[in-house]
């Protein structure tokens, strides 16, 4: 099997509620990350780097910024006459309700897209994790082991995501025992919401399940068929961060300030693609003081910045102090202002003399376009 045999499906709004503060104005897929990326960039780059040439982006709401970001797919070499990128928004009120209710309902809405696709397999994933994966290894694993479905999983502290499968028993690479929602906070083998499956099998399972009124892909397809189907377990090793809360989002960003994590995510063999903005280099004033931070192009830094993730076109004026914080694009910290342990959404302005401070375990979130 190679990437051309595989259709990619990205569920853009899956688990929006885990960081509802940020996803109130955008989908999970378009959440900014790492100073110059969106969460969708990582899963989309994984697909493209592994040879997948056709990708469907399944959306539900707040997808305008995602469409603006991906556009024709040119940045990922997916702007093509044949194959390429496809946006799959809901086409009526029932489709919106189906997406909200279940993964099965969301797939049912796009069966027409699957039926018209020539690929034999489907790799479907959400955007709640950040990793640089070699999916060709997954394809080889799936074929070598004769799997009907292959589930990606990690070993570690289980994220606080509703109904996340815990793989209780794996024998010879096959999952033989699984439970849902039992591992939160414990160290387990837990599933990422990413699976590889034969397209014809997916169509059959979803059609039958939907007709029976079943809603959960994990519970009603994976769990119920664990003895009938060969469900393989593919381990994800190396750097991978799952975003399950605002705190988790904060920690995942700041993990990139550790050089070994940054190198693991942005390894040269598998680049992470994103929409590129033509902007000037960042300007650092004579009195600026910057330490241990990721700062994108187009910024003007005249004050003090320490342990920060700063996106493009932000300005930190003279005598302003920004520490342990995330500034999304077009942020402005005025002279004499101080910000510590904050997540400032797009186009936030903090006026002169204002002080905002959260804590390592409780960062303060400032909504989009808010001026303080």
């Amino acid at each position: 099997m190679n990437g051309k045999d595989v259709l990619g499906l990205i569920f853009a709004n899956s688990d929006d509620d885990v960081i509802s503060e940020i996803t109130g104005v955008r989908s999970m897929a378009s959440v900014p990350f790492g100073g110059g990326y969106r969460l969708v960039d990582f899963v989309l780059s994984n697909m493209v780097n592994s040879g997948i040439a056709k990708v469907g982006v399944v959306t539900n709401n707040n997808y305008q910024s995602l469409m603006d970001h991906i556009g024709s797919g040119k940045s990922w070499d997916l702007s093509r006459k044949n194959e390429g990128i496809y946006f799959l928004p809901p086409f009526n009120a029932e489709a919106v309700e189906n997406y909200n209710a279940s993964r099965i309902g969301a797939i049912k809405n796009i069966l027409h897209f699957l039926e018209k696709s020539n690929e034999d397999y489907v790799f479907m994933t959400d955007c709640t994790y950040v990793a640089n994966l070699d999916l060709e290894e997954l394809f080889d694993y799936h074929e070598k082991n004769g799997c009907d479905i292959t589930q990606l999983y990690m070993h570690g502290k289980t994220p606080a995501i509703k109904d996340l499968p815990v793989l209780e028993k794996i024998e010879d690479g096959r999952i033989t025992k699984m439970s849902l929602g039992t591992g939160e906070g414990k160290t387990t083998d837990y599933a990422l919401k990413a699976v590889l499956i034969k397209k014809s099998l997916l169509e059959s399972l979803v059609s039958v399940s939907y007709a029976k009124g079943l809603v959960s892909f994990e519970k009603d397809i994976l769990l119920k068929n664990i003895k009938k189907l060969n469900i393989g377990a593919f381990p994800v090793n190396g750097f991978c961060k799952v975003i399950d809360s605002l705190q988790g989002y904060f920690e995942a960003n700041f993990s990139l300030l550790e050089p070994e994590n940054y190198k693991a995510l942005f390894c040269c063999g598998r680049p992470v693609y994103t929409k590129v903005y033509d902007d000037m280099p960042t300007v650092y004033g004579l009195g600026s003081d910057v330490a241990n931070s990721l700062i994108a192009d187009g910024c003007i830094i005249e004050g003090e910045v320490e342990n920060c993730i700063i996106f493009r076109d932000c300005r930190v004026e003279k005598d302003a102090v920004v520490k342990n914080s995330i500034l999304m694009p077009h942020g402005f910290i005025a002279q004499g202002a101080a910000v510590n342990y904050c997540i400032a959404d797009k186009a936030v302005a903090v006026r002169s003399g204002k002080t905002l401070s959260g804590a390592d375990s409780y960062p303060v979130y400032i909504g989009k376009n808010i001026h303080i």
Side-chain angles (χ1 to χ4, degrees):
M1 186 198 312
N2 59 51
K4 291 184 179 179
D5 299 321
V6 183
L7 169 68
L9 278 185
I10 299 173
F11 292 87
N13 292 92
S14 181
D15 293 308
D16 276 356
D17 58 321
V18 301
I19 49 171
S20 57
E21 300 92 341
I22 301 177
T23 56
V25 293
R26 57 175 69 87
S27 65
M28 175 68 81
S30 58
V31 168
F33 186 86
Y37 299 88
R38 306 288 184 114
L39 292 180
V40 72
D41 294 338
F42 299 95
V43 294
L44 199 49
S45 296
N46 289 338
M47 292 179 181
V48 170
N49 289 334
S50 302
I52 294 176
K54 185 175 183 179
V55 180
V57 182
V58 189
T59 63
N60 188 43
N61 53 47
N62 290 335
Y63 50 83
Q64 184 62 54
S65 65
L66 180 63
M67 294 178 71
D68 291 343
H69 178 70
I70 295 178
S72 66
K74 183 178 179 180
S75 298
W76 297 266
D77 191 28
L78 289 173
S79 179
R80 308 180 181 195
K81 289 183 178 179
N82 299 312
E83 303 172 327
I85 196 90
Y86 294 80
F87 283 94
L88 304 170
F91 50 86
N92 57 32
E94 181 185 1
V96 172
E97 183 58 33
N98 281 343
Y99 194 114
N100 288 335
S102 71
R103 176 64 54 90
I104 289 176
I107 299 171
K108 173 64 170 60
N109 291 337
I110 60 163
L111 280 181
H112 62 287
F113 174 72
L114 295 178
E115 291 164 357
K116 291 180 180 179
S117 298
N118 297 321
E119 292 76 12
D120 294 324
Y121 299 88
V122 178
F123 175 67
M124 54 184 194
T125 180
D126 64 10
C127 296
T128 54
Y129 64 93
V130 177
N132 192 329
L133 304 178
D134 185 351
L135 295 182
E136 292 182 270
E137 294 181 355
L138 168 65
F139 304 157
D140 292 342
Y141 181 94
H142 183 88
E143 193 168 40
K144 180 181 177 181
N145 291 277
C147 298
D148 298 307
I149 303 172
T150 300
Q151 170 72 66
L152 275 67
Y153 79 96
M154 285 193 65
H155 180 79
K157 185 178 178 182
T158 307
I161 294 178
K162 184 181 178 182
D163 289 338
L164 192 68
V166 172
L167 314 186
E168 296 186 359
K169 196 172 184 179
I170 302 173
E171 296 178 312
D172 297 325
R174 178 179 177 177
I175 303 170
T176 56
K177 189 176 182 181
M178 177 191 293
S179 60
L180 299 182
T182 59
E184 184 178 328
K186 303 175 184 177
T187 299
T188 63
D189 289 327
Y190 62 88
L192 299 176
K193 289 191 175 180
V195 300
L196 179 65
I197 182 172
K198 187 93 171 178
K199 182 167 74 75
S200 57
L201 177 61
L202 177 63
E203 291 169 344
S204 174
L205 289 171
V206 167
S207 295
V208 171
S209 298
Y210 188 80
K212 291 180 179 179
L214 304 178
V215 296
S216 170
F217 185 87
E218 290 76 17
K219 178 182 178 181
D220 298 317
I221 290 182
L222 292 181
L223 200 58
K224 286 190 176 180
N225 289 286
I226 201 164
K227 293 183 179 179
K228 298 177 184 177
L229 299 175
N230 180 0
I231 304 178
F234 183 80
V236 174
N237 300 311
F239 182 89
C240 182
K241 295 293 182 181
V242 178
I243 296 169
D244 62 350
S245 63
L246 192 65
Q247 175 67 15
Y249 171 77
F250 186 79
E251 292 175 357
N253 272 276
F254 277 88
S255 68
L256 297 183
L257 295 181
E258 299 177 22
E260 62 272 19
N261 290 336
Y262 189 90
K263 290 178 182 178
L265 184 59
F266 299 104
C267 49
C268 57
R270 296 190 300 273
V272 178
Y273 304 101
T274 188
K275 180 179 180 180
V276 177
Y277 294 87
D278 293 326
D279 215 331
M280 66 177 188
T282 288
V283 175
Y284 297 91
L286 292 176
S288 63
D289 184 5
V290 179
N292 194 39
S293 298
L294 292 177
I295 301 178
D297 290 341
C299 296
I300 299 175
I301 309 297
E302 299 172 298
E304 181 181 353
V305 174
E306 181 180 346
N307 299 328
C308 289
I309 310 287
I310 298 183
F311 288 75
R312 63 184 180 86
D313 194 31
C314 288
R315 180 165 186 173
V316 179
E317 289 195 329
K318 185 178 180 181
D319 296 326
V321 178
V322 184
K323 295 184 177 181
N324 309 303
S325 295
I326 299 170
L327 301 185
M328 295 186 194
H330 315 303
F332 176 74
I333 311 299
Q335 183 174 2
V339 173
N340 190 25
Y341 287 112
C342 291
I343 301 172
D345 210 319
K346 199 171 182 179
V348 163
V350 180
R351 294 190 176 94
S352 181
K354 301 295 183 181
T355 298
L356 296 173
S357 185
D360 184 22
S361 59
Y362 196 86
V364 172
Y365 172 73
I366 310 167
K368 184 178 178 180
N369 294 323
I370 288 179
H371 292 192
I372 296 175

